[in-house]
Amino acid sequence: MFSAIARIFRTPDLRRKIGFTLAIIAIYRLGSHVPAPFVNFPNVEECLRLNAGTEGLLSLVNLFSGGALLQLSIFALGVMPYITATIITQLLRVVIPHFEALHKEGQAGQARLTQYTRYLTIALALLQSTTLVTVARSGQLFGTTDIAACQQLLTNDVWWAQLLIIIAMTAGTGLIMWFAELVTERGIGNGMSLLIFTSIAATFPAAMWAIFESNGFEVFLLVLAVGIVVTGLVVFVEQSQRRIPVQYAKRMVGRRTYGGTNTYIPIKVNMAGVIPIIFASSLLYIPMLIAQFNTPQDGSEPAAWVVWVSQNFTTGDQPLYMAAYFLLIIGFTYFYVAITFNPVEVADNMKKYGGFIPGIRAGRPTAEYLDFVLTRVTFPGSIYLGLIALIPLIALATVGANQNFPFGGASILIIVGVGLETVKQIDAQLQQRHYEGLLR
């Protein structure tokens, strides 16, 4: 292992790529701590020091920004606008034929879709930064807290000062998007995935230290042991796949013979990744947001339904919240897999190039068989996603951790997924030059 790491730094091209990636990551983390203009940074630090937090969707955005959201920095929105834009673009392929046609055009069509995603990212950044500034100005960014510092997060709340904050945060999102593309082109690994990885990993030490301070060394060791076991299980499931064998018949094109090969279609147990967790978190934030807007500001008694929503859907340690979260993740897993993997399209492509599944007729029977396998493989995958997503909520109820608990939910899925993919790319680069990879 150490000799393989030494080979990385002895290879000039690979050393340069890793150095460039680390430099971009350092700049990104530095920008996460630079406050936006007209932000009362001492008050923000006071709110963070007193452990005032936020729940729901804002908690997820804060996780993906590496804590920059609650610090109101120039990179406060992090990569969330780009993730949302990418998901919307994928979903629009189902309802807009032009997007589906671009997807099938190859590299040129993908370039157009990427450009649309960039425009949509900037539009979403404008919308989200406006919402963030409005929430910060109202004093509700850290929840319904009575801390005086949390009510005065801006030094100047006139319209032009708020506009400047929105422009700064939107420009920060555009800069993050550019950083990610630079890492993808000149660095190692996928740039956006690595920036998300960095943001989540940056919250690990603070989350673990909070558990140590509040529960003691024994609970800290127990959480660490459970985290190692959960990480191992996540690696095992993320690498698991159902391989459907495919054979291609030989065919003559001119004087050349094509086909005659055996391959397989890999259907992963977790084909949806972390997307269902994002969908479910976003949807569960809506009742809390509606209840918050319908809470009287004059101190009078709120309506009964507002009290019920506040008791059951405000914090993640409520049984009803956990049950709804789990069921939504299962539903969104099936929904997203059905959008991203089309059995009819796969069967038509196989038939076009002379491929078939042994024992299954080409065409419609192949599509029905693929759908049969996909449905049954997705079921354990959805249960797995739901259980992983519940780990932070269980930790919130038992050891007093927050919803950014490092060994569960979106955190562990992204950390493991990005880590495995980056290691594979480094391994492939080493094998090209030394015939030995990073892993043996």
Side-chain angles (χ1 to χ4, degrees):
M1 182 67 181
F2 292 105
S3 61
I5 295 176
R7 284 198 301 272
I8 292 176
F9 292 99
R10 285 200 302 264
T11 306
D13 185 41
L14 193 55
R15 183 176 65 243
R16 185 167 56 251
K17 288 183 177 181
I18 293 179
F20 180 81
T21 303
L22 292 176
I24 292 294
I25 288 175
I27 297 173
Y28 171 66
R29 287 306 303 159
L30 178 63
S32 299
H33 295 278
V34 176
F38 300 106
V39 169
N40 194 331
F41 194 67
N43 285 2
V44 172
E45 287 291 304
E46 179 69 12
C47 292
L48 293 174
R49 186 183 64 82
L50 295 175
N51 295 324
T54 185
E55 302 290 342
L57 183 62
L58 287 182
S59 175
L60 188 66
V61 177
N62 188 56
L63 172 66
F64 281 2
S65 66
L69 175 76
L70 295 184
Q71 294 179 357
L72 293 175
S73 71
I74 57 174
F75 289 168
L77 301 179
V79 297
M80 203 63 185
Y82 185 84
I83 295 174
T84 308
T86 304
I87 295 173
I88 292 175
T89 305
Q90 289 182 343
L91 296 178
L92 288 179
R93 284 169 40 199
V94 182
V95 296
I96 301 180
H98 177 63
F99 278 43
E100 183 65 24
L102 288 175
H103 178 70
K104 295 179 179 179
E105 283 183 7
Q107 187 175 359
Q110 291 292 340
R112 290 285 300 277
L113 285 176
T114 302
Q115 195 67 16
Y116 290 153
T117 304
R118 292 169 182 161
Y119 295 147
L120 185 58
T121 299
I122 298 301
L124 289 174
L126 279 171
L127 178 63
Q128 293 180 12
S129 59
T130 303
T131 304
L132 178 60
V133 171
T134 303
V135 173
R137 182 172 178 268
S138 66
Q140 298 293 319
L141 180 62
F142 292 90
T144 55
T145 177
D146 295 331
I147 303 173
C150 299
Q151 305 297 324
Q152 298 291 332
L153 298 178
L154 303 181
T155 58
N156 194 341
D157 59 356
V158 296
W159 69 268
W160 57 267
Q162 297 180 47
L163 180 62
L164 190 59
I165 299 174
I166 293 170
I167 293 174
M169 291 182 176
T170 304
T173 300
L175 193 60
I176 291 172
M177 189 165 51
W178 182 57
F179 283 165
E181 293 180 356
L182 283 179
V183 171
T184 303
E185 293 175 4
R186 303 181 184 180
I188 195 79
N190 181 277
M192 191 60 68
S193 299
L194 281 174
L195 293 185
I196 300 173
F197 177 95
T198 304
S199 299
I200 296 175
T203 64
F204 268 46
M208 295 303 294
W209 181 253
I211 294 174
F212 174 77
E213 282 190 328
S214 59
N215 297 279
F217 187 68
E218 293 80 6
V219 176
F220 174 80
L221 285 181
L222 178 61
V223 170
L224 195 61
V226 171
I228 293 173
V229 173
V230 169
T231 303
L233 293 176
V234 169
V235 171
F236 176 76
V237 177
E238 290 296 317
Q239 296 292 90
S240 301
Q241 56 184 223
R242 168 75 160 87
R243 296 181 176 182
I244 301 177
V246 178
Q247 295 181 1
Y248 285 91
K250 291 183 180 180
R251 55 194 179 95
M252 295 291 296
V253 180
R255 295 183 179 181
R256 295 179 179 271
T257 302
Y258 294 91
T261 58
N262 297 327
T263 183
Y264 60 87
I265 300 175
I267 297 182
K268 296 181 63 177
V269 174
N270 179 24
M271 288 190 66
V274 74
I275 303 301
I277 297 179
I278 298 176
F279 280 176
S281 300
S282 304
L283 197 61
L284 281 178
Y285 181 65
I286 295 176
M288 180 171 53
L289 189 64
I290 295 175
Q292 184 176 351
F293 281 122
N294 285 273
T295 301
Q297 301 296 323
D298 56 359
S300 60
E301 189 71 20
W305 68 270
V306 174
V307 176
W308 185 83
V309 169
S310 300
Q311 291 176 349
N312 294 280
F313 286 96
T314 301
T315 58
D317 55 353
Q318 300 298 323
L320 189 58
Y321 184 98
M322 292 184 182
Y325 194 39
F326 184 78
L327 294 176
L328 282 174
I329 288 174
I330 293 178
F332 280 127
T333 301
Y334 276 96
F335 171 73
Y336 191 74
V337 169
I339 289 177
T340 55
F341 187 92
N342 189 348
V344 176
E345 182 180 349
V346 174
D348 290 343
N349 289 335
M350 289 171 53
K351 185 177 181 180
K352 185 186 301 182
Y353 295 104
F356 63 94
I357 299 174
I360 307 295
R361 293 180 58 187
R364 183 177 177 181
T366 298
E368 292 176 349
Y369 177 76
L370 290 174
D371 184 66
F372 174 84
V373 174
L374 184 66
T375 303
R376 279 146 186 81
V377 171
T378 302
F379 178 73
S382 63
I383 299 295
Y384 151 78
L385 271 182
L387 293 176
I388 290 295
L390 286 181
I391 291 178
L393 305 185
I394 296 173
L396 175 67
T398 54
V399 300
N402 57 28
Q403 291 199 30
N404 295 340
F405 183 69
F407 298 113
S411 305
I412 194 68
L413 291 174
I414 293 175
I415 288 289
V416 169
V418 177
L420 288 174
E421 187 62 32
T422 305
V423 167
K424 286 180 181 177
Q425 290 202 21
I426 296 176
D427 187 66
Q429 296 271 352
L430 285 177
Q431 287 182 352
Q432 288 180 358
R433 294 167 174 82
H434 299 283
Y435 301 103
E436 286 188 10
L438 182 63
L439 305 175
R440 296 182 181 178

